Amino acid sequence: MSERNWHPFKDIDSLRHQVNNLFDEVIHKNINKTSLHSSSAIPKVENVTWEPAIEIKETDSNLILQAQVPGIEPSNLDIHVTKDAVYISGEHEEQKVHNEKGIYRTEFEYGHFQRIIPLPICVKYNQVQAEI
């Protein structure tokens, strides 16, 4: 019997990426068929390295979506809204850090990101407002 190292967090992260890819495929198919925002479909980006965390709140008159994209200038974000989803993409560029002793550690995720967030209700995409 062979011994296998089990890395539960790595396996869970892999499963999360597979499920996200599945949802992306379903959403892209739906957006391609029903997009009211523009004639071009939202592009799917390969080799996405991370996804921003989001929070969705509903008030009496609004649906509020907040996304955490630290260190990224608003001008470097690409945001599209359809009646039933929000698409956010951009790139988190790595800052070069030099340490004289050669000790370096980072847990930050760098590279291109993309997230498609299905909305719980249909929205009037032409009345969307953004804040920093």
Side-chain angles (χ1 to χ4, degrees):
M1 184 165 151
S2 66
E3 185 177 316
R4 179 176 177 240
N5 291 334
W6 183 48
H7 302 284
F9 293 112
K10 186 176 180 180
D11 292 343
I12 290 170
D13 192 49
S14 175
L15 177 62
R16 181 181 64 85
H17 281 291
Q18 290 173 6
V19 170
N20 284 345
N21 288 337
L22 176 65
F23 282 117
D24 284 349
E25 288 178 23
V26 169
I27 288 172
H28 277 287
K29 287 179 185 175
N30 288 340
I31 288 173
N32 288 339
K33 292 178 184 174
T34 63
S35 177
L36 297 177
H37 184 58
S38 69
S39 59
S40 64
I42 293 173
K44 182 169 182 173
V45 177
E46 300 297 326
N47 301 321
V48 172
T49 57
W50 66 283
E51 295 179 337
I54 59 112
E55 179 176 88
I56 299 176
K57 300 179 212 175
E58 187 173 6
T59 66
D60 290 338
S61 59
N62 293 311
L63 186 65
I64 301 169
L65 183 141
Q66 293 179 305
Q68 287 184 333
V69 286
I72 300 174
E73 294 295 322
S75 60
N76 292 334
L77 292 173
D78 186 20
I79 302 171
H80 297 279
V81 181
T82 65
K83 67 178 183 169
D84 54 3
V86 174
Y87 163 86
I88 303 171
S89 72
E91 187 163 350
H92 193 223
E93 295 181 9
E94 181 176 4
Q95 297 176 358
K96 301 297 178 191
V97 176
H98 300 283
N99 190 325
E100 292 177 15
K101 296 181 181 181
I103 300 170
Y104 178 68
R105 177 183 174 155
T106 183
E107 295 179 356
F108 296 165
E109 304 257 355
Y110 296 101
H112 193 283
F113 68 89
Q114 171 181 310
R115 178 115 191 230
I116 298 173
I117 302 111
L119 299 174
I121 59 173
C122 288
V123 297
K124 296 178 182 175
Y125 61 89
N126 56 352
Q127 296 179 5
V128 170
Q129 296 178 355
E131 294 179 12
I132 299 174

